[in-house]
């Protein structure tokens, strides 16, 4: 039985970001105590940067989110902090979308556990709690703010996998629905759909329990309302999607995803597609496993006038398909959650190729 853990503290509501200083200040006990702010590079030189409760001794580091987090990028940030300071930070604040939040969680674990990011990719490999960490999402949907993982790709090992551990959970969240105000429409949609898919996959899985189901059902209800709306990015809908994202993250912290995420990981490894869009492309090709849900997903895309990219694997060689198979089938837990322990008898290399060929 899972001895589940969720986020201990959160500030929620319009203007919550202005309270960040009141969370930071009490943790500064001596003059060497410093904070690390990891900021999505999207906010470089922005108004957001001016609103940070920064002091001279703090480190402000930018996280490039052009590509999704890699183990190398996490190792480099970790090294950067260790090389520049004599002691560890009192806290680490991650501000940005899922990639920045995942990077903050991974760096926090690495600072106290030592070694390299790739040493902890898997389940419950993180030995001791990381540095105290505060998550401030500026984009809703990934659930990175409330999940117990931080996904990174390791291109050398053909692997996209997180440090799945209760130590990965943030200690504190600041959830301000005004922060995603400037997100481009398609990014808002693709990232928001991540939460819808977490819940669909969790509710269709074998590893279920009532509490995770309750989180999923409410997150699904809210995301359906957002995506059925004429103005999905209104203030009220930004708030609903922020709640849905948080609840969806709690749901998968207590259960597992299913088929969409492993197939999406394959696309991320081979085509470097971002998580949200890769999920949607994968979902569209999985109608035989999720017939009703794929029907609903397509009508949502139509309603929101989203044209999914087509033919993304049309130029793939046999070699590419082998790589896709390897980087999908490695996700044994979610695949077994969706199809049972003998999932490999259903997802043969030929079957996986056929599914990817539909994308
Ligand atoms: Fe996801």
């Amino acid at each position: 039985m899972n001895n589940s853990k969720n986020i201990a503290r959160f500030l929620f509501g319009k203007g919550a970001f202005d309270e960040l200083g009141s969370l930071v200040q009490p943790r500064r006990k001596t003059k060497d105590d410093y904070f690390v702010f990891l900021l999505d590079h999207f906010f470089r030189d922005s108004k957001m940067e001016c609103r940070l409760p920064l002091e001279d001794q703090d480190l402000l580091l930018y996280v490039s989110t052009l590509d999704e987090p890699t183990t190398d990028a996490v190792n480099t940030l970790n090294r950067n902090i260790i090389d520049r300071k004599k002691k560890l930070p009192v806290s680490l604040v991650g501000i940005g979308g899922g990639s920045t939040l995942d990077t903050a969680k991974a760096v926090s674990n690495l600072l106290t556990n030592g070694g390299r990011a790739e040493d902890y990719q898997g389940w419950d490999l993180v030995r001791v709690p990381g540095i105290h960490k505060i998550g401030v999402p500026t984009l809703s949907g990934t659930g990175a703010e409330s999940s117990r993982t931080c996904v990174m790709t390791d291109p050398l090992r053909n692997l996209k996998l997180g440090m799945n551990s209760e130590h990965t959970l943030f200690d504190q969240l600041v959830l301000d629905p005004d922060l995603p105000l400037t997100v481009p429409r398609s990014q808002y949609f693709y990232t928001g759909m991540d939460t819808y898919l977490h819940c669909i996959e969790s509710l269709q899985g074998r590893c279920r329990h009532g509490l995770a189901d309750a989180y999923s059902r409410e997150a699904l209800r809210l995301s359906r309302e957002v995506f059925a709306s004429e103005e999905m990015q209104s203030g009220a809908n930004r708030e609903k999607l922020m709640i849905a994202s948080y609840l969806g993250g709690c749901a998968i912290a207590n259960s597992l995803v299913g088929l969409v995420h492993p197939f999406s990981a394959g696309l991320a490894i081979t085509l470097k597609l971002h998580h949200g869009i890769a999920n949607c492309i994968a979902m569209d090709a999985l109608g035989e496993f999720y017939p009703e849900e794929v029907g609903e997903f397509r009508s949502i895309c139509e309603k929101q006038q989203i044209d999914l990219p087509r033919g993304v694997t049309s130029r793939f060689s046999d070699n590419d398909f082998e790589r896709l198979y390897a980087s999908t089938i490695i996700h044994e837990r979610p695949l077994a959650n969706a199809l049972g322990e003998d999932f490999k008898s259903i997802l043969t290399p030929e079957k996986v190729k056929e599914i990817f060929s539909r994308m």
Side-chain angles (χ1 to χ4, degrees):
M1 190 176 278
N2 250 356
N3 189 10
S4 296
K5 188 179 170 194
N6 278 130
I7 298 292
R9 290 180 180 276
F10 55 84
L11 276 174
F12 171 73
K14 263 171 85 72
F17 186 66
D18 294 325
E19 306 290 318
L20 182 59
S22 70
L23 300 174
V24 165
Q25 212 46 43
R27 303 192 73 83
R28 299 186 190 276
K29 302 266 194 302
T30 72
K31 66 176 178 27
D32 314 330
D33 285 346
Y34 73 99
F35 271 69
V36 174
F37 291 87
L38 290 179
L39 187 64
D40 190 323
H41 77 136
F42 176 80
F43 294 110
R44 193 171 202 142
D45 302 323
S46 70
K47 280 187 194 149
M48 161 77 82
E49 203 176 299
C50 306
R51 293 169 70 195
L52 296 179
L54 268 175
E55 290 196 1
D56 290 346
Q57 68 275 27
D58 295 337
L59 291 180
L60 170 60
L61 304 172
Y62 298 96
V63 179
S64 169
T65 49
L66 292 175
D67 290 324
E68 296 204 311
T70 60
T71 45
D72 264 359
V74 168
N75 290 329
T76 304
L77 276 169
N78 179 56
R79 194 73 263 156
N80 190 342
I81 297 167
I82 290 171
D83 287 349
R84 287 168 67 177
K85 294 286 188 179
K86 288 194 188 78
K87 62 181 231 178
L88 294 175
V90 286
S91 183
L92 207 146
V93 187
I95 304 167
S99 293
T100 307
L101 298 184
D102 277 357
T103 300
K105 294 196 277 185
V107 171
S108 156
N109 282 339
L110 211 49
L111 280 168
T112 53
N113 282 269
R116 299 178 59 77
E118 42 273 53
D119 301 339
Y120 305 103
Q121 280 180 297
W123 268 264
D124 300 311
L125 301 173
V126 181
R127 290 171 290 108
V128 294
I131 295 288
H132 176 271
K133 51 194 174 296
I134 302 175
V136 187
T138 60
L139 185 58
S140 299
T142 65
E145 64 277 24
S146 50
S147 73
R148 72 193 296 279
T149 191
C150 49
V151 182
M152 298 160 292
T153 51
D154 178 357
L156 281 181
R157 290 193 296 163
N158 238 355
L159 187 65
K160 180 175 178 178
L161 190 61
M163 299 176 181
N164 206 314
S165 158
E166 72 171 44
H167 298 313
T168 304
L169 282 164
F170 277 111
D171 299 286
Q172 168 83 54
L173 293 177
V174 176
L175 303 171
D176 184 339
D178 275 350
L179 296 182
L181 189 65
T182 53
V183 178
R185 193 171 187 280
S186 61
Q187 194 180 7
Y188 181 90
F189 176 85
Y190 287 127
T191 310
M193 283 309 286
D194 195 12
T195 242
Y196 170 90
L197 294 170
H198 289 154
C199 301
I200 294 286
E201 289 172 90
S202 176
L203 287 169
Q204 296 287 330
R206 285 161 167 76
C207 306
R208 291 182 46 190
H209 69 74
L211 198 66
D213 284 4
Y215 282 129
S216 290
R217 284 199 200 96
E218 182 60 7
L220 209 46
R221 186 185 72 77
L222 288 166
S223 44
R224 280 177 173 139
E225 279 182 20
V226 171
F227 293 120
S229 164
E230 297 302 325
E231 207 191 323
M232 66 174 175
Q233 288 179 271
S234 69
N237 283 330
R238 287 199 312 272
E239 182 167 312
K240 280 181 192 171
L241 199 58
M242 189 160 264
I243 299 169
S245 176
Y246 172 82
L247 294 176
C250 293
I252 49 165
N254 290 288
S255 63
L256 279 167
V257 287
L259 290 168
V260 179
H261 277 69
F263 278 84
S264 166
L267 293 175
I269 291 280
T270 48
L271 289 166
K272 286 196 166 185
L273 283 174
H274 277 213
H275 187 58
I277 195 166
N279 282 342
C280 289
I281 295 170
M283 177 66 172
D284 193 64
L286 290 165
E288 65 191 279
F289 300 102
Y290 301 118
E292 275 177 41
E293 293 78 6
V294 169
E296 182 183 43
F297 165 76
R298 286 181 178 162
S299 39
I300 289 173
C301 289
E302 204 175 299
K303 163 89 191 168
Q304 295 300 339
Q305 298 179 320
I306 297 289
D307 283 324
L308 281 183
R310 300 271 166 205
V312 294
T313 58
S314 58
R315 289 163 183 263
F316 272 26
S317 64
D318 284 348
N319 232 349
D320 294 327
F321 279 112
E322 274 168 31
R323 208 167 150 229
L324 270 176
Y325 175 76
S327 50
T328 302
I329 212 74
I330 198 165
H331 296 274
E332 294 188 346
R333 286 195 188 199
L335 293 172
N337 180 41
L339 299 174
E341 291 301 325
D342 65 340
F343 64 88
K344 283 184 189 163
S345 66
I346 302 167
L347 293 179
T348 59
E350 299 71 37
K351 183 71 194 171
V352 170
K353 182 177 176 181
E354 182 203 315
I355 294 168
F356 274 117
S357 301
R358 280 184 226 143
M359 296 179 188

